[in-house]
Amino acid sequence: MALKSEHTPQRYFRQMKAVTALAPKYRAMSDDQLKAQTAHFRQQLAAGQSLNTLKIPAFAVAREADRRVLGLFPFDVQVIGALVMQDGNVAEMKTGEGKTLTATLPMYLNGLTGSGNFLVTANEYLAYRDAKKMGKVYRWLGLTAVAGVPPTGGDPHDRDLQRIYKADIVYTTNSTLGFDYLMDNLAGTTQDRFLQGFHFALLDEIDAVLLDSAQMPLIISGAPRVRSNLFGIADQVIRLLKLDVDFERSSDHKKVWFTPAGITHMSEYLGLTGLLTEKHRTLYRHLVLALKAHQTLTRDRDYVVDDDGISLLDLSNGRKLAGMKLEAGLHQALEAKEQVPVSTQTRTMASITFQNLFRMFSHLSGMTGTAMTDAAELQETYRLSVIPVPTNKPSQRIDRPDQLFMTTDTKLEHAVALVKQAHDKGRPVLIETGSVSLSNLFSRILLRDEIPHNLLNARSAAKEALIVKEAGQLGAVTVATSMAGRGTDISLGPGVKELGGLLVVGTERMNSARVDNQLRGRSGRQGAPGETIFLVSIEDSILLEHGPKWLRKYRRQLAKNEAPAHPSWITRHRFKHLITQAQHNAEREDRQSRNQTLQYAEIMRVQRDTIYATRQTIMTQPDLTPLLTSVFKIATNAFLRDHPEPTRNVLADYVLNTIDNQLVIADVIDQQWTPQSQQTAKFLRRLMVDQLQKKFKNINEDQQVYFERMCLLKSLDNAWIDQVDMLQQLRQIATNRSTAQHDPLLEYLKDGRRSFANMKRAFAHQAVQNLLLSEFNFKADGTIDVTYP
């Protein structure tokens, strides 16, 4: 047992020994006595004890329950991993070290506090599987534990959300939890809300959630826009343009922009002048979207085209992102590019990033096989320290040096030869590719050479887990994209250890050394033998996008036969340095991009928190009079801001369309209004209060409060939908301004504040209209139908 680690603080070894010392005490207890410890711990918590004081005995109880219910007794290193996570850290535990079992200890301890505790896994299949299996332990001990996701093939709308989120422990996914949070904050009444707060979150494969998926916003869309017919026109125009003449793009192909010549050519194609004027703003926006769709998004890398139309891909594992669409019209531009039916463009109703979602937890921790390479970012962004946990058995895996090739063709030929050689012996092989298209290509090569294999890309999670689980069997050959299958262990079949264990072949280095390490970690689990090797060439995407300029120049010369095929600088040491430097460049860009996303999301978070707090006030306050007074004041101030010295006709128009459409103007305005700004405000607010009292003449107090609440919520939600959609579009505009020597974040901040102020005025105006111009239809049974203006 490898219980030495100079990187693991010694306090965790001392605490582990304290947990181990209690093992005989709890093993001697009967089942009923052990189960009774849960009630005992909860009594101590109610009496003022902290989780920290209960940590050692609670871990010992959970450990013994694991043994009795699952037949698995957590190793000492697993107890150390649990202690690390309970302290709010990231435990780096190598693949195969039993992270799923380790999580039962801190999940049980935090489950003692009641609801609001989540274990977040890589996909729905794993969440449901682990909730079913590990949930037995919690339920045996008297806690409630459920899956927050539907079973495979189940409808997520059939979930009983009230029951799920009242449970002590919920196994779920990051996407499911995020969408449920957004839906909870769109509820119309407190009875419709289901979340019980965010107390503790333990993230499995935390680097995949907080780093790889950090920039992916969760978006609830609705309220469709008017369908645009400009997507097809813009796509046809873009197909006529030429690179470096009509448009230019960055070396990493992530940014693209029109040249002055391109603007001129597009104007000629379209037969118009002033393409950059306000008149043609919408058309120009569609042209920009079409250009991005063609030049920054690649088929079978960023998305696939299938029977469902355009399906986005998770770049970290090649899975299809079910239900996810690109925002601000880019998805429709992509559909036009691939000549599939263009879907209806919708407005964003609610949005949040994983960064902001998990920063809301008071207690956050996680586990993964690889996090040390990004420890600084996890500390800076989430205040999470990464602590390595020693392995239960010493690693026997052999990591071979990279093999170098000049072209992708020769590299793939050698990869096939390696697979053949291993397959002839019966040794299992796992081949990693960087994209869906390359995995399909490699699969066809293996079929040509009559090598049976499994192809793992963009499949369902259940099939993925089954394929990965069987990847260590005798004679198995598996082709997979990047890190598909994370969260599922590869078990070696009979006779495989004698053949050297699982052979992992990486066909290219990824943008992050962390992802490379994840791939290596698929082999040699739990002290078993294994071998890994990466095959790299100067044509790999990591060097194409992030390598030095002189290397790109050499490739062009080589293509023209103007450079030596094997120059003196191609040495293993020099090439390794090139790869390392390219990865550092890619990691730095990704880190900067994630930080920028966080800064943009922080601006939206402040506004979102304000709106959600206002919704909560509207839903829970028994007396809404103070809020109504504030709404009336904002509405009248907004009117006077636009009309500092209103004429009689302007005022009459506002009153009839906002306050009372039955009012006799001559009897009120002519007799009661004094044309002074301060007096006008008082006059309008008095009219609003009087009109509201008239509406409430024939309804009881409960009906009055319910009506006020519904009017305010309806108005707030409509205004917020417009604001969220506006912020999405402002983000696109602000990013484009970065090429014009502007600070995009500062521009976004200023525009976001301005639009939020406009949103508050729009909310107040619509709320006044809903409150005062709605019509009541009284039913015989005492209920009332409301018709909003």
Side-chain angles (χ1 to χ4, degrees), residues 518-706:
Q518 288 165 0
L519 178 66
R520 287 194 176 101
R522 311 302 280 161
S523 180
R525 61 183 294 276
Q526 274 291 338
E531 185 178 354
T532 69
I533 187 169
F534 279 88
L535 312 181
V536 293
S537 82
I538 65 169
E539 295 180 344
D540 286 352
S541 60
I542 180 71
L543 291 175
L544 281 170
E545 297 178 9
H546 303 285
K549 292 181 179 179
W550 63 262
L551 184 59
R552 290 196 289 273
K553 181 179 178 182
Y554 169 75
R555 275 194 295 265
R556 289 194 295 269
Q557 292 175 341
L558 185 64
K560 299 176 182 177
N561 295 319
E562 296 175 358
H566 295 281
S568 58
W569 60 265
I570 295 285
T571 63
R572 177 173 282 112
H573 176 75
R574 183 74 183 275
F575 202 84
K576 182 179 179 181
H577 175 75
L578 282 176
I579 291 285
T580 302
Q581 192 58 47
Q583 284 187 327
H584 285 168
N585 293 340
E587 288 167 351
R588 183 176 63 253
E589 289 181 17
D590 289 343
R591 190 159 52 247
Q592 290 173 344
S593 181
R594 286 192 290 266
N595 184 56
Q596 187 182 59
T597 298
L598 180 62
Q599 290 176 314
Y600 279 107
E602 189 66 14
I603 294 170
M604 179 181 271
R605 182 195 66 79
V606 173
Q607 297 188 11
R608 181 176 56 243
D609 288 353
T610 302
I611 295 300
Y612 287 174
T614 304
R615 287 188 102 261
Q616 181 69 8
T617 299
I618 293 171
M619 286 194 293
T620 57
Q621 285 289 353
D623 183 8
L624 294 172
T625 303
L627 190 56
L628 292 176
T629 302
S630 176
V631 167
F632 291 163
K633 184 176 181 180
I634 294 171
T636 53
N637 289 344
F639 170 71
L640 291 172
R641 176 177 175 268
D642 297 333
H643 307 90
E645 297 180 0
T647 64
R648 177 188 183 280
N649 290 338
V650 169
L651 187 65
D653 182 70
Y654 179 77
V655 170
L656 289 172
N657 288 293
T658 309
I659 302 175
D660 186 355
N661 51 20
Q662 304 294 325
L663 196 69
V664 179
I665 298 299
D667 291 346
V668 179
I669 293 183
D670 292 346
Q671 296 179 19
Q672 301 179 25
W673 173 55
T674 302
Q676 296 175 2
S677 179
Q678 210 169 18
Q679 294 301 320
T680 300
K682 291 180 179 178
F683 168 72
L684 290 175
R685 286 197 282 271
R686 187 169 65 251
L687 282 182
M688 292 175 182
V689 172
D690 291 345
Q691 174 66 1
L692 191 61
Q693 289 176 348
K694 279 196 293 184
K695 292 191 76 70
F696 290 163
K697 188 181 298 183
N698 298 316
I699 63 177
N700 61 46
E701 187 175 343
D702 289 341
Q703 290 172 323
Q704 291 178 24
V705 174
Y706 183 79

Side-chain angles (χ1 to χ4, degrees), residues 419 423 429 431 439-456 459 467 475-480:
V419 173
H423 184 64
V429 185
I431 305 104
S439 68
N440 288 330
L441 172 63
F442 206 90
S443 176
R444 287 195 291 270
I445 295 173
L446 293 179
L447 287 174
R448 180 199 65 190
D449 292 349
E450 298 182 346
I451 299 177
H453 62 279
N454 283 315
L455 175 62
L456 185 55
R459 291 174 176 267
I467 291 173
V477 176
T478 308
V479 181

Side-chain angles (χ1 to χ4, degrees), residues 120-393:
V120 181
T121 64
N123 57 58
E124 290 189 1
Y125 168 76
L126 293 176
Y128 192 83
R129 182 200 70 180
D130 293 348
K132 186 176 180 180
K133 182 178 180 180
M134 299 300 157
K136 296 177 183 177
V137 177
Y138 311 124
R139 291 187 285 271
W140 189 84
L141 284 168
L143 300 182
T144 53
V146 299
V149 299
T152 303
D155 187 345
H157 296 99
D158 292 339
R159 295 175 300 151
D160 184 348
L161 296 177
Q162 296 287 351
R163 181 187 69 85
I164 287 173
Y165 287 103
K166 282 180 181 175
D168 300 319
I169 297 168
V170 179
Y171 276 70
T172 187
T173 66
N174 47 357
S175 297
T176 300
L177 183 60
F179 282 125
D180 285 349
Y181 167 76
L182 294 176
M183 291 302 299
D184 187 62
N185 283 285
L186 290 174
T189 64
T190 53
Q191 291 75 25
D192 293 332
R193 302 196 68 176
F194 43 84
L195 284 178
Q196 306 292 316
F198 288 159
H199 168 234
F200 175 64
L202 195 163
L203 276 59
D204 190 13
E205 308 296 355
I206 190 171
D207 52 332
V209 177
L210 297 187
L211 298 178
D212 297 335
S213 301
Q215 298 181 80
M216 187 185 303
L218 297 174
I219 295 174
I220 293 179
S221 297
R225 295 179 180 275
V226 176
R227 183 185 291 273
S228 171
N229 61 356
L230 294 177
F231 289 109
I233 296 171
D235 186 74
Q236 293 175 26
V237 172
I238 294 304
R239 292 177 186 273
L240 301 173
L241 303 185
K242 296 179 181 179
L243 177 63
D244 295 329
V245 176
D246 300 305
F247 63 88
E248 296 176 355
R249 64 186 178 191
S250 59
S251 58
D252 60 3
H253 296 189
K254 292 181 180 179
K255 291 184 178 180
V256 62
W257 57 92
F258 292 118
T259 63
I263 300 295
T264 301
H265 291 157
M266 288 190 295
S267 298
E268 292 173 354
Y269 296 149
L270 294 166
L272 51 84
T273 57
L275 180 58
L276 299 183
T277 61
E278 181 66 25
K279 177 182 177 182
H280 299 300
R281 177 183 171 210
T282 302
L283 173 59
Y284 182 71
R285 177 173 167 269
H286 281 76
L287 291 168
V288 171
L289 291 171
L291 183 66
K292 286 184 176 181
H294 277 272
Q295 298 299 324
T296 66
L297 297 167
T298 303
R299 183 169 177 167
D300 289 336
R301 185 194 70 182
D302 302 294
Y303 64 93
V304 292
V305 182
D306 52 24
D307 293 339
D308 298 325
I310 302 290
S311 296
L312 301 181
L313 295 179
D314 187 334
L315 294 182
S316 65
N317 54 35
R319 292 193 197 106
K320 286 198 292 187
L321 296 169
M324 298 291 284
K325 287 190 174 185
L326 295 167
E327 57 194 15
L330 188 53
H331 201 90
Q332 286 71 26
L334 196 58
E335 291 169 332
K337 167 191 172 183
E338 295 297 343
Q339 298 182 353
V340 301
V342 177
S343 59
T344 302
Q345 189 182 356
T346 57
R347 292 189 299 170
T348 301
M349 298 176 64
S351 175
I352 193 171
T353 62
F354 292 132
Q355 291 169 318
N356 276 335
L357 176 67
F358 289 106
R359 279 154 61 103
M360 289 193 291
F361 279 88
S362 58
H363 189 182
L364 181 66
S365 65
M367 52 188 180
T368 182
T370 50
M372 288 302 296
T373 53
D374 293 278
E377 184 177 357
L378 288 168
Q379 176 62 245
E380 179 182 349
T381 306
Y382 304 100
R383 299 292 183 266
L384 291 170
S385 298
V386 179
I387 297 178
V389 176
T391 57
N392 188 52
K393 295 179 181 178

